[in-house]
Amino acid sequence: MVNPMIQNQLKARTSRFLSKGAIIPTPNFFIPLSKGTIPHLTPENAEHSSIPGVFFGLEECLDELANSAIAKGKSRLEDWIAISASVSTILSPRRFRPLKSVSASDSDISIVTSGGVKKLTSELYNSLVTKLQPDAVITLNDNPTSKPGVKRRPKMISRNLNWAKEFLHKQLEQERANAPDIIFPIPDLPNTYLIPMFDKLKELDFGHIKAFAFFGQPVAVPTEFDSIPRISLAPVETPHDILDALENGTDIFVTDLVTKCTDAGIALAFNFKNSESEVKLQIGINMFDISHETNMSPILDDCTCICCRRYSRAYIRHLLSAHELVAWELLQLHNIHVLNSFMSDIRASINKGSFSSNKERFLIQYVNTYPEQQALGPRRRGYQLDMTDSLPLSNRPPWKKLDDDSASANTKTGSIVVTSQTPLKLEADTTKAAADTFQTRSANEDQVVGELVDAFAAKVSTTNDKDSDSELEEELLEALDELDDTAYRSERMQQLKEEFELVQRCKLQNHMNLFTVENEKDVMEMTVKSECVVIHFFHPDFKRCKILDNHLEKLAKKYWETKFVRIEAASAPFLVTKFSLKVLPALLCFKDSVLVDKLIGFSDLGNTDNFDTAAIEFRFKKSGVIKRLKGNEYSYNNLSKIEHISSSDEDSDFFE
Ligand SMILES: [Zn+2]
């Protein structure tokens, strides 16, 4: 069967976008608003600059709208942001180039407002549209900012369809004369998802759909939809990108290239008139450049914008270096004028049938990069920054991560790392090799090996007989032999042998049992010798310390890679002061000699004496002193319950 979507080839075309009485010749562009304003322009200037239309992301102003006259039904979008009725407005749930936010459900999407991440329900969106009365509206859509997985994709389609249906019903119910035009969102997904979507769309009353909004490059649509204008929300940065987008069938593109150039002090300098220039031409002129200092000619000799008719390059540069806002206003007027002329020449070229050859000529004539930016614009607000590739902070924060090596010298971080001031340093070096072997173990990455090693460790921990250990080792190696007939068998056998040796070494280091230490210096050494160490500071008469010991004894056998020790708080005055331990039992967790977690009393364990061992295990897993949870009892529900327990530690025992 012939794919109906491939039958009509996409190409540059001219048409008209009819929006609430305004007729916009296409191809054309819309400018994204910034917090509900046209960047750099007063409403009067915007009116004279013939901006075809603006794109308004609701999330940018949702919080501000709550207290505006619109919320009280006394105004509409056009009045609130003082935009002339001749400028067409498209309302979208999310801003152009939205910030990362991935979650959505069948009834809402996450948006990023000035007050943080919020849920925008279909109901709220539809009711706001009724109040705002934009000329056209992109219906609510699930459009994750990162590439969606295979499970998310069909959901995106069905949500978009359902929300459009809801919107249509609501509009038809009200039968308002000034109901906005509907723009249907088309996600950036392969045709396998889009073909069934278009089939479903045919069942809808699609006569109400005035345009499609493509989140990626436009794709060919079934013939009956071919006359519907295609709006592209894929970013275009240069005139070259614009020409490519038009060739791919875009009728209207939303672009911030004008504003970005103005911000950077760059005056656009390209046209589609195909002059016969021998040298490569620039697409923009950096107006900050010193070369304009005494140049009394306009930015472009043949430009008829208000800026070029009245002012010289020298004056624009003077304004820029004085950081006078008029500079950016004049540049914005010029840049919009250039883009308007460019689009009008393109439309003429398409109508003459010479678009392709003119495009070829343009590509030869112009470089496709802007001149280097020499200064920042007049303002730089959070949402204007490129969040995907942000620059490193110029002011380093005064605090550091606990496991940051450079932080180890700082005693305030609570780290027990032995520093050059302490005599323990030498021992730390000699035992480093031992510590390394603990870090290189890889059994946890291989479940088969991991389970056999755990079985071996369980047996080893209960016996002191060396011979029976090696018998068991043989037994387990045989078991693996039967179990594994893959090409990796010999590697696994070798790995298993190494792991068994590691188990033996751990045993020699007094792992596998809750080991009581009498001297606090020994405790400090242990945090260097073993990668993961859990230390229980106890009081011999406290009931809760005994309860905790019972749990730790079980865990010491199960998590043989981690060292479990207990020390009486009274014999560790230095550590008790250093870690400000006032309540017992206290549990300190060390990984690579750095304190990674501190459990004081039972407050984090549900403040009950009857907590499950799993509660501590989960906590250990989070801090990293155990690498993976062993056993099957870890259902998601249990874990999340444990994670959310929090209460005061009123029942714990103070020992001072
Ligand atoms: Zn100009």
Side-chain angles (χ1 to χ4, degrees):
M1 201 182 106
V2 183
N3 182 346
M5 291 174 76
I6 299 173
Q7 283 177 339
N8 50 74
Q9 285 289 320
L10 289 173
K11 58 178 197 301
R13 63 178 187 182
T14 55
S15 184
R16 286 177 306 174
F17 176 57
L18 304 168
S19 158
K20 302 288 286 299
I23 301 170
I24 298 169
T26 62
N28 224 320
F29 66 96
F30 273 47
I31 288 182
L33 294 180
S34 166
K35 283 243 161 195
T37 64
I38 297 178
H40 304 300
L41 296 187
T42 61
E44 290 76 18
N45 280 334
E47 211 170 328
H48 290 128
S49 71
S50 3
I51 295 173
V54 292
F55 177 94
F56 178 77
L58 181 71
E59 67 179 351
E60 273 193 287
C61 293
L62 186 67
D63 296 341
E64 291 73 9
L65 276 169
N67 300 316
S68 73
I70 293 178
K72 300 174 180 76
K74 287 179 186 155
S75 177
R76 45 177 296 200
L77 179 69
E78 196 175 276
D79 303 322
W80 187 55
I81 58 179
I83 269 180
S84 130
S86 66
V87 179
S88 181
T89 48
I90 290 179
L91 181 79
S92 154
R94 303 216 62 193
R95 60 165 66 93
F96 183 67
R97 297 185 197 264
L99 298 182
K100 269 184 192 155
S101 163
V102 286
S103 80
S105 75
D106 287 341
S107 59
D108 56 59
I109 61 165
S110 286
I111 55 171
V112 188
T113 71
S114 53
V117 176
K118 290 187 180 155
K119 297 231 174 281
L120 179 64
T121 61
S122 158
E123 205 185 335
L124 175 63
Y125 187 58
N126 295 347
S127 76
L128 281 170
V129 168
T130 309
K131 284 179 179 164
L132 292 167
Q133 297 178 34
D135 295 332
V137 59
I138 300 177
T139 53
L140 194 67
N141 53 84
D142 176 16
N143 188 52
T145 41
S146 49
K147 198 168 183 278
V150 281
K151 282 190 181 164
R152 178 80 172 265
R153 293 175 196 176
K155 282 187 195 163
M156 289 162 63
I157 301 273
S158 70
R159 283 168 186 165
N160 291 0
L161 280 165
N162 284 339
W163 289 332
K165 242 183 259 176
E166 263 173 50
F167 187 81
L168 252 172
H169 283 156
K170 178 147 190 191
Q171 296 302 323
L172 291 178
E173 245 171 50
Q174 296 180 345
E175 283 183 39
R176 289 184 303 109
N178 46 0
D181 293 331
I182 294 178
I183 301 175
F184 186 77
I186 306 212
D188 189 11
L189 290 178
N191 267 346
T192 42
Y193 296 95
L194 298 185
I195 292 169
M197 182 198 74
F198 281 116
D199 287 341
K200 290 241 173 69
L201 209 53
K202 285 176 200 164
E203 294 162 18
L204 269 176
D205 190 2
F206 65 82
H208 292 271
I209 294 174
K210 285 286 161 62
F212 288 127
F214 289 86
F215 285 86
Q217 286 297 335
V219 293
V221 296
T223 326
E224 51 265 68
F225 294 120
D226 199 40
S227 60
I228 294 179
R230 298 186 277 257
I231 300 173
S232 168
L233 300 179
V236 288
E237 311 283 354
T238 61
H240 301 66
D241 292 346
I242 294 176
L243 295 174
D244 286 343
L246 301 188
E247 199 154 57
N248 286 328
T250 300
D251 294 309
I252 288 174
F253 54 94
V254 179
T255 183
D256 51 4
L257 83 82
V258 170
T259 308
K260 273 173 139 182
C261 284
T262 302
D263 279 345
I266 289 168
L268 296 179
F270 53 85
N271 64 54
F272 207 59
K273 294 194 198 307
N274 280 231
S275 68
E276 297 297 321
S277 165
E278 290 304 314
V279 287
K280 271 262 185 193
L281 299 171
Q282 297 292 323
I283 54 173
I285 303 166
N286 189 341
M287 294 309 295
F288 276 101
D289 200 274
I290 191 94
S291 63
H292 308 304
E293 204 173 21
T294 53
N295 189 337
M296 295 309 286
S297 48
I299 299 173
L300 297 177
D301 288 326
D302 53 354
C303 181
T304 54
C305 82
I306 189 164
C307 172
C308 292
R309 273 188 283 138
R310 294 189 188 167
Y311 307 109
S312 65
R313 290 189 182 201
Y315 178 60
I316 304 293
R317 185 182 181 272
H318 168 62
L319 290 174
L320 281 171
S321 39
H323 291 279
E324 177 54 54
L325 291 183
V326 175
W328 284 277
E329 177 142 13
L330 289 172
L331 275 177
Q332 184 79 334
L333 285 170
H334 167 84
N335 286 343
I336 289 172
H337 185 90
V338 169
L339 194 56
N340 259 326
S341 311
F342 184 65
M343 295 315 296
S344 133
D345 289 342
I346 286 174
R347 287 191 297 271
S349 156
I350 295 172
N351 286 338
K352 267 191 261 166
S354 57
F355 177 74
S356 296
S357 59
N358 289 358
K359 185 190 168 198
E360 287 308 311
R361 181 78 204 136
F362 183 92
L363 299 186
I364 296 167
Q365 218 167 23
Y366 287 94
V367 297
N368 70 344
T369 49
Y370 293 103
E372 203 169 314
Q373 188 174 347
Q374 286 180 8
L376 283 180
R379 53 177 190 173
R380 205 79 172 148
R381 298 197 293 223
Y383 58 87
Q384 288 180 312
L385 296 170
D386 183 0
M387 306 296 279
T388 52
D389 192 18
S390 50
L391 294 166
L393 294 175
S394 45
N395 294 321
R396 295 259 121 234
W399 62 87
K400 281 168 181 151
K401 278 187 191 169
L402 270 177
D403 53 0
D404 189 345
D405 275 354
S406 54
S408 59
N410 184 353
T411 50
K412 281 182 190 162
T413 59
S415 145
I416 197 176
V417 167
V418 268
T419 63
S420 51
Q421 277 90 35
T422 68
L424 287 172
K425 172 77 174 163
L426 268 176
E427 285 176 58
D429 283 340
T430 51
T431 53
K432 196 171 182 314
D436 283 346
T437 60
F438 285 79
Q439 282 161 23
T440 50
R441 70 181 307 277
S442 56
N444 291 339
E445 284 144 38
D446 187 327
Q447 208 188 334
V448 178
V449 172
E451 277 168 13
L452 288 171
V453 173
D454 288 342
F456 180 65
K459 194 85 190 193
V460 166
S461 68
T462 53
T463 163
N464 285 318
D465 185 355
K466 261 238 147 211
D467 292 340
S468 66
D469 286 356
S470 52
E471 267 171 41
L472 178 70
E473 198 177 317
E474 290 296 313
E475 211 176 286
L476 288 170
L477 284 169
E478 267 171 42
L480 178 70
D481 214 20
E482 278 173 34
L483 209 76
D484 188 359
D485 57 354
T486 65
Y488 304 109
R489 186 168 64 179
S490 62
E491 275 173 39
R492 273 183 165 166
M493 292 292 269
Q494 183 56 34
Q495 198 188 350
L496 198 54
K497 277 182 191 158
E498 284 166 13
E499 293 295 331
F500 285 164
E501 279 171 34
L502 184 66
V503 171
Q504 299 283 12
R505 273 209 305 281
C506 283
K507 197 187 179 190
L508 288 176
Q509 300 239 24
N510 284 313
H511 287 223
M512 298 178 194
N513 281 308
L514 182 59
F515 186 67
T516 307
V517 188
E518 263 145 42
N519 184 331
E520 61 181 330
K521 263 202 164 160
D522 293 343
V523 172
M524 286 156 87
E525 269 178 48
M526 282 166 190
T527 64
V528 178
K529 282 185 184 164
S530 297
E531 185 190 356
C532 298
V533 184
V534 173
I535 306 166
H536 175 200
F537 291 82
F538 72 96
H539 189 290
D541 299 335
F542 286 179
K543 187 181 114 201
R544 286 194 159 185
C545 293
K546 291 200 176 78
I547 295 172
L548 191 59
D549 276 345
N550 287 335
H551 290 290
L552 293 178
E553 262 160 28
K554 280 189 228 162
L555 293 175
K557 289 190 173 57
K558 195 166 170 186
Y559 297 98
W560 53 272
E561 308 94 321
T562 302
K563 187 167 180 102
F564 289 82
V565 277
R566 62 200 281 274
I567 184 165
E568 197 177 332
S571 359
F574 172 73
L575 293 175
V576 164
T577 315
K578 185 177 167 69
F579 295 110
S580 333
L581 305 179
K582 295 199 167 65
V583 174
L584 295 181
L587 210 53
L588 301 188
C589 302
F590 290 87
K591 189 163 188 238
D592 296 325
S593 317
V594 173
L595 181 71
V596 288
D597 197 13
K598 206 169 162 184
L599 262 162
I600 304 295
F602 286 177
S603 60
D604 290 345
L605 300 166
N607 216 1
T608 161
D609 292 354
N610 302 319
F611 65 88
D612 201 78
T613 314
I616 318 183
E617 278 178 272
F618 182 65
R619 182 80 183 231
F620 286 171
K621 170 71 176 59
K622 267 183 103 176
S623 66
V625 282
I626 61 176
K627 286 177 182 166
R628 69 185 161 98
L629 295 174
K630 298 176 184 178
N632 302 322
E633 62 266 38
Y634 300 98
S635 76
Y636 175 77
N637 284 338
N638 287 341
L639 292 182
S640 55
K641 206 159 64 194
I642 294 162
E643 193 177 13
H644 289 116
I645 288 170
S646 96
S647 50
S648 72
D649 50 357
E650 52 193 331
D651 282 348
S652 294
D653 303 309
F654 285 81
F655 77 104
E656 273 183 336

